[in-house]
């Protein structure tokens, strides 16, 4: 039985970049629905006791398990997304080791923000943009719908949800403003470093 993980902050902690109202719907309704759907779909499949990570890896690219993959991946992706954000009142910069990796792979932190933003604006329709570790390198990766780097043997470090439900209440169609606000104000760099 999968359950909705607790948020590591209050629903209003991300304001003004992301409102409590957005979290009420995005976390309380959308995320919850993926968990509920997954619980219904795994009954009798032998996957009931598996971790979300294992379900994603075991069901990726299996046409008979698309529903399970989609809901397990969305459950994982949303939990990873929430944990990758920090309260807006907590200032944070990447620690030196992580910053050195960012500088090596993206020239500078500012250039990383620019490249990540361009990728996130470029996701057509619903999807996610990830910072992943590929061997010793950091890469920006776009995935469509529920898709997830674990299905490609890549290690997720951070993710941004660019489904419309992530920003529509606060930004309507202005996806670029949402991306900019989250990148500049809400990245939990300690979470990123812990995933390295
Ligand atoms: Mn979402």
């Amino acid at each position: 039985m999968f359950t909705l993980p607790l948020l590591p902050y209050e629903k209003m902690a991300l304001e003004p970049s992301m409102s409590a109202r957005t979290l009420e719907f995005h976390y309380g309704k959308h995320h919850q629905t993926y968990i509920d759907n997954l619980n219904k779909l795994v009954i009798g499949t032998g996957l009931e006791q598996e971790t979300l990570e294992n379900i994603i890896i075991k069901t990726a690219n299996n046409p008979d398990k698309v529903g399970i993959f989609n809901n397990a991946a969305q459950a994982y992706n949303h939990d990873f997304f929430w944990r990758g954000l920090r309260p807006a009142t907590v200032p944070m910069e990447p620690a030196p080791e992580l910053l050195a990796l960012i500088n090596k792979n993206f020239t500078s932190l500012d250039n990383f923000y620019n490249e990540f933003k361009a990728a996130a604006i470029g996701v057509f329709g619903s999807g996610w943009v990830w910072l992943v570790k590929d061997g010793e390198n950091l890469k920006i990766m776009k995935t469509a719908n529920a898709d997830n780097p674990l299905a490609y043997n890549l290690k997720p470090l951070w993710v941004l949800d660019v489904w419309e439900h992530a920003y529509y209440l606060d930004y309507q169609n202005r996806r670029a403003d949402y991306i900019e606000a989250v990148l500049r104000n809400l990245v939990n760099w300690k979470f990123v470093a812990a995933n390295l």
Side-chain angles (χ1 to χ4, degrees):
M1 185 80 175
F2 297 93
T3 54
L4 186 66
L6 292 176
L7 287 175
Y9 36 70
E10 299 295 321
K11 288 198 182 77
M12 63 178 297
L14 309 179
E15 293 189 348
S17 299
M18 200 184 295
S19 68
R21 185 167 160 78
T22 283
L23 267 76
E24 278 165 26
F25 281 89
H26 193 184
Y27 167 75
K29 306 288 185 194
H30 290 276
H31 189 173
Q32 179 72 60
T33 299
Y34 297 122
I35 304 271
D36 294 343
N37 288 341
L38 179 62
N39 280 326
K40 287 176 201 153
L41 290 166
V42 292
I43 294 171
T45 62
L47 295 168
E48 295 94 328
Q49 307 300 326
E50 296 281 1
T51 61
L52 293 175
E53 288 91 336
N54 281 342
I55 295 178
I56 289 166
I57 290 163
K58 286 183 174 185
T59 62
N61 304 311
N62 182 339
D64 298 330
K65 298 278 195 304
V66 171
I68 294 177
F69 175 84
N70 283 340
N71 285 285
Q74 284 296 78
Y76 175 97
N77 295 355
H78 281 91
D79 179 47
F80 201 77
F81 174 56
W82 301 128
R83 289 190 291 124
L85 304 179
R86 71 173 197 261
T89 51
V90 178
M92 202 186 286
E93 295 292 332
E97 187 194 352
L98 175 57
L99 186 60
L101 260 180
I102 289 171
N103 289 338
K104 180 173 159 239
N105 288 275
F106 303 104
T107 313
S108 68
L109 183 59
D110 251 353
N111 195 53
F112 164 73
Y113 285 140
N114 290 337
E115 286 189 31
F116 198 98
K117 185 176 176 182
I121 289 170
V123 172
F124 184 78
S126 296
W128 301 81
V129 185
W130 305 80
L131 178 64
V132 299
K133 197 167 183 206
D134 182 2
E136 290 306 304
N137 293 315
L138 304 187
K139 286 185 179 166
I140 293 167
M141 177 186 194
K142 300 192 271 186
T143 61
N145 301 314
D147 210 3
N148 178 297
L150 295 171
Y152 305 89
N153 204 23
L154 296 169
K155 192 175 185 185
L157 303 178
W158 192 75
V159 72
L160 180 67
D161 189 340
V162 290
W163 283 55
E164 223 173 52
H165 68 219
Y167 57 86
Y168 207 82
L169 289 176
D170 295 332
Y171 298 90
Q172 293 77 51
N173 61 316
R174 292 174 285 114
R175 184 192 281 193
D177 292 352
Y178 157 74
I179 297 162
E180 182 79 19
V182 175
L183 284 176
R184 297 282 173 178
N185 304 320
L186 299 180
V187 179
N188 185 340
W189 290 109
K190 286 182 186 164
F191 174 82
V192 179
N195 290 322
L196 276 173

